[in-house]
Amino acid sequence: MNSPSAHAESMLNNDAWVVIPLFNEAQVIGEVVQGLRGLFAQVVCIDDGSNDESGTIARAAGARIVRHPINLGQGAALQTGFEYALERGAHYVVTFDADGQHRVEDALEMLNRARNEGLAIVYGSRFLDNRTRPGLLKKIVLKTAVWVTNLTTRTRLTDAHNGLRVIRNDALNLIKLRQDRMAHGTEIVVQLGRTGLPYAEHPVEVIYSDYSKAKGQSLLNSVNILIDLIIR
């Protein structure tokens, strides 16, 4: 039987790093990091040139901080986080948004599923159950984006632009994000699909709070993703 200390260590998921792209989220990032630190020992925020106190607040909540001197975009922040985690021996990386729209419990379920089923990638999907209510227009745009993504990649997903993912290190070593802004959401699916490694989707809830909508979960943001898919 494992000792209590060994059990506690396993509960902190030391083989997994949570990577959070961070840009001007001072209002919520402290709570996001505190929630994660209860189950994940390794949390790194890539402070992507914030001009508020996001980095300071995240560090005080228990995250490690890597800072870009200027804002390079979410894709660049993720790539920096991937390299940082791999250099420190991460076996899994969990990508997690900074605005509070993801649930820590979903991330843990996805990580456990990757371990138990030998999966290299687990994508979060808001469309596999009825918990998430994105609104009709946003749902139509996101579903259209999924259709276009599935046509151009080797994946068959129900939700191609969900920031909650679990990626094993063998898959991470095969991807290199070059799209700095919103286009990275498609690029990461394309590159992970090319690895040929086993993947699955897992039902998650996306929480559309007034704050997250104001920060970039608007219908216009979804339309921009769709336009990017069509013209790339």
Side-chain angles (χ1 to χ4, degrees), residues 41-114:
Q42 315 289 358
V43 178
V44 59
C45 291
I46 312 304
D47 185 355
D48 193 29
S50 296
N51 52 32
D52 63 7
E53 296 300 315
S54 292
T56 301
I57 293 170
R59 180 180 288 110
R64 300 192 191 193
I65 303 298
V66 178
R67 180 170 172 78
H68 289 169
I70 60 173
N71 179 243
L72 298 176
Q74 194 173 59
L78 281 174
Q79 185 62 44
T80 297
F82 294 164
E83 293 171 4
Y84 182 91
L86 286 172
E87 288 170 358
R88 285 153 183 80
H91 192 64
Y92 296 98
V93 159
V94 179
T95 64
F96 202 92
D97 286 355
D99 60 4
Q101 68 170 318
H102 294 150
R103 297 173 70 249
V104 179
E105 295 85 352
D106 288 336
L108 183 61
E109 289 178 5
M110 292 167 64
L111 178 62
N112 287 334
R113 186 169 176 188

Side-chain angles (χ1 to χ4, degrees), residues 199-218:
Y199 72 91
E201 285 188 293
H202 189 83
V204 302
E205 181 180 13
V206 174
I207 302 167
Y208 293 112
S209 65
D210 291 341
Y211 177 82
S212 68
K213 291 176 183 175
K215 289 294 294 187
Q217 290 300 313
S218 64

Side-chain angles (χ1 to χ4, degrees), residues 1 18 24 34 42 78 103 122 139 147 165 174 181 195 204 211 213 215:
M1 179 180 293
V18 180
N24 289 347
Q34 288 172 4
Q42 315 289 358
L78 281 174
R103 297 173 70 249
V122 180
K139 185 175 182 178
W147 179 75
R165 316 172 188 89
L174 295 175
R181 307 276 168 191
T195 69
V204 302
Y211 177 82
K213 291 176 183 175
K215 289 294 294 187

